[in-house]
Amino acid sequence: MSFAFKHFPAARDDLRADVLAGLAASPKAIPPKYFYDDAGCRLFEAICTQPEYALCRTEQALMAAHLPDIAAAVGDVDCIVEPGAGDCAKVRLLLGALRPSHLAVIDIAGAPLAAAAQGISRDHPELAVTALAMDFLRDLEAAAAWLPAGKRLVYYPGSSIGNFPPESASGLLARFRHLAGAEGRLLVGFDLKKDPQRLHAAYNDAAGITAAFNLNLLTRLNRELDADFDLARFSHYAFYNPVAGRVEMHLVSLADQTVGVAGERFRFALGETLHTEHSYKFRCDEFSALARTAGWQQEGEWVRDGFAVQLFA
Ligand SMILES: C[S@@+](CC[C@H](N)C(=O)[O-])C[C@H]1O[C@@H](n2cnc3c(N)ncnc32)[C@H](O)[C@@H]1O
């Protein structure tokens, strides 16, 4: 029916400021949202096909198996909104079951988002599709102006919520309430706590795709911030920290070295890490308690092989 694409300019200045601040901090850290340039998006899709990384496949299988139940629990919705939609593969399932009149997909990676959303628009001519290229951590409130009135479902799959420490996750879930509106619902997919060996394997796939995804951040900084990272002098390192309940992903410096980034110099000691991502894992009761801190009440729960989806109102 209709397709709209809106780009909220941000990117370059934010990237520079965030990276310089992150490299000056101790310990060094760069926000994971910067993984997703075009190559990062492709590598993430490749991660999802690795035998060790079952998360995406399990969530798809869970959704397919419980779709009628989930649709009945969600009820009628006019609009589905997905922040961080990526290739929009997961929301396609929901479209068939919920039959909304409007779909709004949001992602910081504008070009892949536009292509995926256009594909949905072609396959669902009855649907109004809006693609919003934005950093939702910055501009989420502006997205609401692009959504129709009526009942909205905010869909946040992929355990993306696990990328935020609990206080920030609670803050983001509270902002989703504004996006969902008064009658709104929230459907979230998250990875469960499980055998640390399984988690370790998932973030250290034998083909090295997660390592390439992690190191691609440095390639991006070399290209976009005129940096001179030598990728051979950094190593992908990911491990499950059961005390904190999260997988931590780092790039470890393999030498004493100094790296130039956007005209500034940063020293990396041998063994020093640049932290690039947290992936928090939850128990079901922990996640519903977290969502309660953001004002959401649990209405449904579906679990399959170490992965859960919860519905909130
Ligand atoms: C782990 S992928 C998940 C993609 C998809 N939702 C799924 O479940 O397969 C995370 C997606 O969120 C996007 N993203 C991460 N941080 C973002 C931010 N702050 N604003 C907008 N999009 C973001 C990334 O570009 C990426 O496409």
Side-chain angles (χ1 to χ4, degrees):
M1 186 167 70
S2 71
F3 175 74
F5 176 72
K6 163 80 179 154
H7 184 248
F8 292 70
R12 226 190 130 75
D13 289 349
D14 288 358
L15 175 72
R16 184 177 185 282
D18 289 348
V19 167
L20 291 180
L23 292 176
S26 181
K28 293 180 170 64
I30 293 181
K33 64 186 177 186
Y34 293 122
F35 278 135
Y36 297 96
D37 62 354
D38 286 357
C41 290
R42 280 195 302 276
L43 284 164
F44 175 74
E45 286 170 31
I47 287 172
C48 289
T49 68
Q50 296 312 297
E52 300 93 335
Y53 193 82
L55 193 154
C56 299
R57 282 188 300 281
T58 306
E59 183 173 28
Q60 290 275 33
L62 182 158
M63 293 298 291
H66 295 287
L67 203 52
D69 267 10
I70 293 172
V74 171
D76 289 338
V77 288
D78 300 298
C79 176
I80 300 178
V81 192
E82 184 181 354
D87 65 1
C88 302
K90 288 177 187 152
V91 78
R92 280 178 176 268
L93 261 181
L94 276 181
L95 289 177
L98 294 176
R99 305 201 166 280
S101 53
H102 199 125
L103 169 70
V105 284
I106 300 173
D107 207 284
I108 199 166
L113 176 75
Q118 257 169 330
I120 291 189
S121 183
R122 266 193 306 275
D123 296 345
H124 293 269
E126 75 291 354
L127 191 65
V129 178
T130 303
L132 303 175
M134 65 158 64
D135 176 353
F136 62 65
L137 293 177
R138 211 181 71 150
D139 294 324
L140 190 66
E141 283 64 28
W146 288 76
L147 306 179
K151 191 170 158 189
R152 296 176 193 154
L153 173 72
V154 175
Y155 181 43
Y156 199 46
S159 208
S160 293
I161 193 66
N163 292 151
F164 302 94
E167 325 77 65
S168 315
S170 172
L172 184 60
L173 294 175
R175 292 172 76 192
F176 286 170
R177 285 194 70 75
H178 174 73
L179 196 64
E183 297 278 289
R185 297 280 184 280
L186 169 69
L187 191 65
V188 188
F190 57 92
D191 205 15
L192 292 169
K193 286 180 172 162
K194 53 179 69 72
D195 183 346
Q197 303 306 330
R198 240 176 107 186
L199 288 168
H200 185 85
Y203 291 80
N204 291 280
D205 57 274
I209 309 295
T210 307
F213 175 75
N214 199 8
L215 284 159
N216 178 62
L217 182 60
L218 303 184
T219 306
R220 179 179 187 181
L221 303 187
N222 285 350
R223 186 182 62 244
E224 295 188 29
L225 293 183
D226 206 15
D228 58 5
F229 284 99
D230 176 353
L231 271 61
R233 301 179 102 198
F234 287 88
S235 176
H236 163 75
Y237 193 74
F239 64 98
Y240 181 63
N241 174 345
V243 178
R246 66 189 182 215
V247 172
E248 296 185 17
M249 201 148 85
H250 299 263
L251 290 164
V252 181
S253 176
L254 299 179
D256 272 314
Q257 54 183 319
T258 302
V259 178
V261 181
E264 298 193 20
R265 308 291 297 166
F266 295 92
R267 177 164 182 264
F268 285 82
L270 170 66
E272 185 177 355
T273 76
L274 169 59
H275 173 247
T276 50
E277 189 181 72
H278 281 152
S279 296
Y280 280 84
K281 309 298 171 185
F282 305 90
R283 289 190 314 268
C284 283
D285 61 305
E286 282 177 330
F287 194 81
S288 48
L290 177 71
R292 264 200 308 282
T293 65
W296 292 102
Q297 298 303 321
Q298 191 186 332
E299 294 214 321
E301 176 177 292
W302 299 269
V303 176
R304 183 186 180 113
D305 195 20
F307 195 88
V309 169
Q310 289 184 347
L311 174 67
F312 300 92

